[in-house]
Amino acid sequence: TAPQLFKTSPPAKGLDASTDIVALREKLASVKKQLNDANSTQGDVKYVEEDRKIQVRDSSSITVRIYSPKSTPKDGSPIFVVYHGGGFCLGGLDNEAVLCRKFTELGGVAVNVDYRLAPEHPFPVPVYDAYDALKWTAAHFTELGGNPSKGFLVGGISAGANFGAVVTHLYRDDKLSPSLTGAFL
């Protein structure tokens, strides 16, 4: 079970110049997968997951994982753009899988963003990825099954909350639509 995962793990040491980021990412991804598996819906799954590659401003591509309810409301759904935590250098699409799945249970569509990580991609690249994914979602709102009158949310946990706060201001200042209706920080 999920609590047993932590009983056998020693405390993590702090990050420093000697930290093997790749090994740490692999370890955390493994633990996160086990936690997601332990919290996965048993029986009839009520959502669909789809990974898509989207282009960002430097002509690179990042992955977004779209979680949609199997039974999409006829009048559309709210959309929630989600950024994972991980101190800007750890994490990935599995970090916020449970949050995204829960949002689909409320009838919403979640767009989970796999922004590029530091130190390989230093500031401002991850912020640009986060913002470009938000703009991509806005441009594909109807295609994704969204209805702006039901809500357009953005946010995340930890570093993801930071991105959520930053991109809400960029989006507002650029006067884009549909309008954002909320932030989960």
Side-chain angles (χ1 to χ4, degrees), residues 105-126:
E105 290 176 12
L106 300 172
V109 173
V111 178
N112 192 359
V113 180
D114 196 20
Y115 58 86
R116 292 175 287 174
L117 302 171
E120 298 90 343
H121 302 283
F123 178 86
V125 171

Side-chain angles (χ1 to χ4, degrees), residues 3-177:
Q4 291 174 337
L5 290 172
F6 297 108
K7 288 181 182 176
T8 60
S9 299
K13 70 175 189 124
L15 300 177
D16 61 29
S18 69
T19 302
D20 183 345
I21 294 288
V22 174
L24 182 57
R25 286 177 183 157
E26 289 171 0
K27 175 65 176 167
L28 291 174
S30 172
V31 169
K32 194 62 176 177
K33 181 177 179 351
Q34 291 175 38
L35 288 170
N36 285 342
D37 290 348
N39 287 307
S40 68
T41 305
Q42 302 298 320
D44 186 29
V45 177
K46 297 184 176 17
Y47 60 87
V48 177
E49 291 180 22
E50 175 192 0
D51 285 357
R52 288 195 197 178
K53 293 281 190 187
I54 65 168
Q55 189 169 1
V56 291
R57 68 186 66 206
D58 65 3
S59 298
S60 295
S61 63
I62 61 171
T63 302
V64 295
R65 180 168 294 154
I66 302 160
Y67 296 79
S68 303
K70 276 188 178 177
S71 299
T72 305
K74 289 183 172 116
D75 59 344
S77 298
I79 292 183
F80 179 23
V81 179
V82 179
Y83 307 107
H84 65 81
F88 307 102
C89 63
L90 304 170
L93 291 172
D94 289 333
N95 278 50
E96 308 310 335
V98 172
L99 174 63
C100 292
R101 291 171 185 157
K102 292 291 182 188
F103 191 69
T104 65
E105 290 176 12
L106 300 172
V109 173
V111 178
N112 192 359
V113 180
D114 196 20
Y115 58 86
R116 292 175 287 174
L117 302 171
E120 298 90 343
H121 302 283
F123 178 86
V125 171
V127 173
Y128 289 160
D129 287 354
Y131 188 46
D132 291 348
L134 178 62
K135 293 190 301 184
W136 178 89
T137 302
H140 294 86
F141 211 87
T142 305
E143 172 195 338
L144 294 170
N147 178 342
S149 69
K150 291 202 170 182
F152 188 18
L153 310 161
V154 64
I157 296 170
S158 191
N162 181 287
F163 287 136
V166 169
V167 302
T168 59
H169 288 89
L170 295 172
Y171 196 84
R172 178 205 60 203
D173 292 351
D174 285 344
K175 298 176 176 53
L176 300 176
S177 64

